């Protein structure tokens, strides 16, 4: 796999309008050889993520919101391990999910396979519109709702990560949030890539062990939502085991059906 150049060492010369902040290179093994991300000093405000989403991708960076106020501090204390991550493109999303399903599903239930979205696929866009722009628009709305106090984040900070795809953001920084479920976040990024393609998701926020994605085209029928619930269970069993919805059917109805955001938490 060819590694893309990291623009962060040249951040000051890239012409981006940024609030006060600094570069982070702290990992579980000491300083990384290049910065992993840029992090703002102060709480992010509505509109800031959207502004960077319009400009930062052109220089190889993507914005994400990091929650530094949930009792675990900022990413400098998150035991990031970029050297342990594989490349998401080397994994097949269905194989990853099927492996998890076979490990965690009860009663030896067979793996149901990937969810096939409805006729609109993952675009959710009206005829003649750009699916990527539609997904980014939904992501912008979700992020603004997180930053104006309506979301679960305690102290959201704006960050920039060297990544080409939203799905790759957790892997690019060596995020270990799902460590009790999977140590190689590259495998989970492969699933996020698949959800990007099928449901128009964007990785919009990370905490120490939490992940929040926006969803441009969530399932719109109970059958599709329940099929997708199996994928969510394989991806993050704690969402069902330790959530308020203890069955896949209840989870599908309350957390997936027509929902523009998905939240994951690993114990």
């Amino acid at each position: 796999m060819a590694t893309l150049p990291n623009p962060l060492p040249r951040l000051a010369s890239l012409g981006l309008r940024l609030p006060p902040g600094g570069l982070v290179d702290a990992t579980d093994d000491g300083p990384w050889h290049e910065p992993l991300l840029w992090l703002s000093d102060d709480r992010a405000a509505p509109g800031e993520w959207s502004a960077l989403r319009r400009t930062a991708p052109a220089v190889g960076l993507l914005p994400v919101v990091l929650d530094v106020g949930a009792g675990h501090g900022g990413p400098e204390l998150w035991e990031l391990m970029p050297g342990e991550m594989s490349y998401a493109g080397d994994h097949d999303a269905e194989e990853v999910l099927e492996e998890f399903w076979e490990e965690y599903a009860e009663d030896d239930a067979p793996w149901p396979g990937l969810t096939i979205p409805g006729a609109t696929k993952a675009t959710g866009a009206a005829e003649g519109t750009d699916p990527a722009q539609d997904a980014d628009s939904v992501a912008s709305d979700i992020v603004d709702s997180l930053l104006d106090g309506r979301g679960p984040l305690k102290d959201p900070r704006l960050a920039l990560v060297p990544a080409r795809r939203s799905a790759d953001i957790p892997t690019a920084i060596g995020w270990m949030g799902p460590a009790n479920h999977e140590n190689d976040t590259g495998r989970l990024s492969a699933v996020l890539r698949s959800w990007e393609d099928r449901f128009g998701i964007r990785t919009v926020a990370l905490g120490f062990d939490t992940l929040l994605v926006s969803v441009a085209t969530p399932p719109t029928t109970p059958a599709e939502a329940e099929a997708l619930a199996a994928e969510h269970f394989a991806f993050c069993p704690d969402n069902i085991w330790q959530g308020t919805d203890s069955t896949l059917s209840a989870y599908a109805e309350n957390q997936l059906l027509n929902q523009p955001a998905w939240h994951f938490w690993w114990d």
Side-chain angles (χ1 to χ4, degrees):
M1 177 192 70
T3 303
L4 294 172
N6 185 343
L8 288 175
R10 302 181 289 108
L11 186 60
S13 66
L14 297 179
L16 300 176
R17 296 173 62 90
L18 300 175
L23 298 176
V24 175
D25 67 355
T27 76
D28 194 47
D29 298 321
W32 192 240
H33 55 82
E34 286 187 329
L36 294 169
L37 58 100
W38 169 88
L39 183 69
S40 64
D41 290 337
D42 300 315
R43 185 183 180 95
E48 289 185 327
W49 183 94
S50 300
L52 282 180
R53 192 63 180 81
R54 291 190 292 269
T55 58
V59 297
L61 297 169
L62 289 178
V64 67
V65 175
L66 301 186
D67 188 4
V68 306
H72 298 283
E76 303 92 337
L77 304 176
W78 286 2
E79 300 177 347
L80 303 178
M81 300 182 68
E84 301 300 315
M85 304 301 161
S86 62
Y87 174 53
D90 289 339
H91 305 288
D92 179 83
E94 181 161 22
E95 290 179 359
V96 171
L97 289 172
E98 183 175 9
E99 180 180 322
F100 288 144
W101 175 269
E102 291 176 350
E103 181 175 356
Y104 296 111
E106 297 179 356
D107 302 325
D108 296 322
W111 164 241
L114 293 184
T115 310
I116 306 300
T120 55
K121 296 283 186 182
T123 67
E127 185 176 354
T129 64
D130 184 336
Q133 289 182 357
D134 185 69
D136 289 341
S137 176
V138 172
S140 179
D141 291 342
I142 293 298
V143 172
D144 283 348
S145 73
L146 293 173
L147 301 182
D148 70 2
R150 287 181 282 162
L153 307 187
K154 304 298 184 183
D155 187 359
R157 305 290 181 88
L158 193 64
L160 284 173
V161 174
R164 297 293 183 183
R165 295 187 62 155
S166 160
D168 295 347
I169 288 174
T171 301
I173 67 172
W175 183 63
M176 292 293 291
N180 291 335
H181 178 56
E182 173 58 65
N183 289 326
D184 181 4
T185 307
R187 285 163 48 83
L188 299 186
S189 281
V191 177
L192 294 176
R193 284 184 172 200
S194 179
W195 288 343
E196 275 187 344
D197 295 338
R198 289 181 289 140
F199 299 100
I201 69 114
R202 295 289 184 267
T203 301
V204 295
L206 289 170
F208 174 74
D209 54 7
T210 58
L211 165 67
L212 193 147
V213 305
S214 62
V215 190
T217 56
T220 57
T221 67
E224 186 180 326
E226 190 155 349
L228 179 60
E231 294 187 35
H232 277 227
F233 173 75
F235 186 80
C236 181
D238 287 327
N239 268 24
I240 285 72
W241 286 343
Q242 302 196 43
T244 57
D245 301 299
S246 59
T247 67
L248 291 185
S249 295
Y251 180 83
E253 179 180 359
N254 297 323
Q255 307 299 330
L256 300 182
L257 187 63
N258 296 310
Q259 293 299 311
W262 300 337
H263 184 267
F264 301 95
W265 168 71
W266 290 267
D267 188 8

